[in-house]
Amino acid sequence: MDVVGVGYPVQDMLVRIEQIPKARVHVLSKILSSSWQGGGMVSTGLAAASVLGARAGIIGVVGGDLYGKACINDFKMNGVDTSHLYVDEEGTTNYTIVLTETYTKERCFVANDGSKRNLKAEELDEAYISQAKYLLVTEMDEISIKAAIIARANGVKVVIDADLYEKRTMDNIELIDVFICSEEFYQGMFEDEDYIGHCREIQAMGPEVALVTLGDKGCRGVYKDTVIDQKAFTEIDVVDTNGAGDVFHGAFIYGMLQGWEPEYIARFASAVSAIKCTRQGGRAGIPDAETTRKFLETGVIDYTEIDKRVDIYKKGLF
């Protein structure tokens, strides 16, 4: 196993409309396209790593409902191992309705946490975690901290997809090897845009990689002694940015597994994320490694395999 993730699988209902309707305004907003896809930050990161060619596995819990079954089938379609994905037969699975406006690309989320139980500490299989090269988490809650301790004790590097600022993440920074955060997380810590300088401060706390993803402004940070200043690929036709950061994390892990130079890892991960954004949802537009390499070499996206995935998700055939 190359990467194991501790995460919270979600089922996403993705809807593209011209304009998100306002309350009490009787205007019919027609659905332009829709897609059922698996979601969740760690889950989508693992799917991206797997599509690119890494061996990935999920540790988590889903409900015994149709959404839970859909999450499992989605993982399997993307080649993610589900042997440690537990099913709470009496519980229901998290799901999210995501509305995206075509003109502004703004998104609106409506979420249901479901009633499934939480992952138990004893379900963190040390043998399963220790066989991996990387552990992917998205927060430093009790379960993730225990998983990180297991990983570090067995020489497994810990990667975090830090989204919204949480003090407990920084309180446990010594357990993190690869710290990649969103702009929102960064703004919870710092008031200026000295990304490189502040990432060096974070790096001094323990991580060998400290990086901030900045959407259409690219990503900046440090990878050991290398400064990362990767611009975004802005020449693409953006359809949906949902899951872009999650996919970036999976692609970044894939790049580290290949032993590439830091600048190329950041460029490759940015390209994978950009290509994903040309299709609806976090999963359908994930390219394989060859498609990404061709894009980096020519600037052209080959949609042959991508649109097969789009059609599967559109029809719900997974």
Side-chain angles (χ1 to χ4, degrees):
M1 195 68 65
D2 294 314
V3 53
V4 168
V6 176
Y8 308 93
V10 179
Q11 187 64 25
D12 287 345
M13 173 57 174
L14 301 134
V15 179
R16 289 178 67 234
I17 54 180
E18 289 185 357
Q19 184 176 9
I20 296 174
K22 297 180 180 179
R24 300 175 183 266
V25 176
H26 299 286
V27 177
L28 180 65
S29 294
K30 292 186 177 180
I31 295 175
L32 302 177
S33 65
S34 62
S35 181
W36 280 97
Q37 299 180 30
M41 295 168 64
V42 167
S43 301
T44 298
L46 294 173
S50 181
V51 171
L52 289 166
R55 296 169 299 164
I58 179 71
I59 303 174
V61 179
V62 294
D65 55 352
L66 289 175
Y67 294 151
K69 292 179 174 63
C71 285
I72 293 170
N73 290 337
D74 195 313
F75 280 128
K76 291 181 177 179
M77 187 188 83
N78 285 292
V80 177
D81 179 65
T82 59
S83 62
H84 287 68
L85 181 61
Y86 301 95
V87 179
D88 176 2
E89 294 293 352
E90 302 303 317
T92 57
T93 307
N94 300 9
Y95 71 87
T96 303
I97 300 171
V98 185
L99 299 177
T100 303
E101 288 187 342
T102 57
Y103 179 69
T104 64
K105 304 299 188 297
E106 292 293 326
R107 292 172 294 162
C108 174
F109 298 86
V110 182
N112 184 333
D113 286 340
S115 64
K116 63 174 181 52
R117 65 170 177 81
N118 293 326
L119 188 68
K120 300 175 183 177
E122 58 267 27
E123 291 171 330
L124 293 173
D125 184 345
E126 182 168 358
Y128 189 68
I129 294 172
S130 64
Q131 68 176 323
K133 298 179 178 67
Y134 292 96
L135 171 73
L136 177 60
V137 298
T138 189
E139 60 180 325
M140 296 306 285
D141 58 8
E142 182 180 351
I143 293 295
S144 295
I145 290 171
K146 181 174 180 180
I149 291 172
I150 292 171
R152 293 291 293 270
N154 289 278
V156 179
K157 293 188 176 182
V158 178
V159 182
I160 191 166
D161 179 350
D163 187 21
L164 300 178
Y165 176 75
E166 291 184 326
K167 183 177 180 293
R168 64 186 179 183
T169 296
M170 302 312 298
D171 288 344
N172 292 279
I173 192 71
E174 74 279 358
L175 293 173
I176 300 170
D177 297 283
V178 180
F179 177 90
I180 305 177
C181 72
S182 68
E183 188 171 14
E184 289 77 10
F185 189 102
Y186 175 92
Q187 291 170 345
M189 294 183 65
F190 309 109
E191 296 181 355
D192 57 46
E193 296 183 356
D194 181 15
Y195 300 110
I196 305 300
H198 290 309
C199 280
R200 287 198 187 281
E201 294 174 20
I202 294 171
Q203 190 183 49
M205 300 177 192
E208 62 184 42
V209 179
L211 195 68
V212 185
T213 56
L214 300 164
D216 59 8
K217 294 180 288 185
C219 63
R220 294 179 183 175
V222 287
Y223 188 133
K224 295 184 180 178
D225 296 329
T226 302
V227 172
I228 301 295
D229 189 357
Q230 173 64 48
K231 292 180 173 58
F233 292 89
T234 57
E235 69 275 18
I236 61 168
D237 181 16
V238 174
V239 170
D240 184 7
T241 60
N242 194 57
D246 311 335
V247 168
F248 179 93
H249 283 74
F252 200 92
I253 291 171
Y254 176 79
M256 291 190 294
L257 287 165
Q258 308 314 303
W260 292 334
E261 292 298 316
E263 297 98 326
Y264 187 74
I265 294 174
R267 186 165 180 259
F268 181 88
S270 295
V272 173
S273 181
I275 294 169
K276 182 236 75 71
C277 289
T278 66
R279 293 295 184 265
Q280 186 175 19
R283 305 271 176 97
I286 299 172
D288 58 25
E290 182 58 27
T291 299
T292 307
R293 282 192 289 267
K294 286 182 179 179
F295 171 69
L296 288 172
E297 291 169 2
T298 67
V300 176
I301 302 173
D302 181 354
Y303 285 106
T304 303
E305 295 302 319
I306 291 173
D307 281 345
K308 290 179 183 178
R309 294 169 54 80
V310 170
D311 194 48
I312 289 172
Y313 282 113
K314 182 178 179 181
K315 294 178 179 178
L317 299 180
F318 60 92

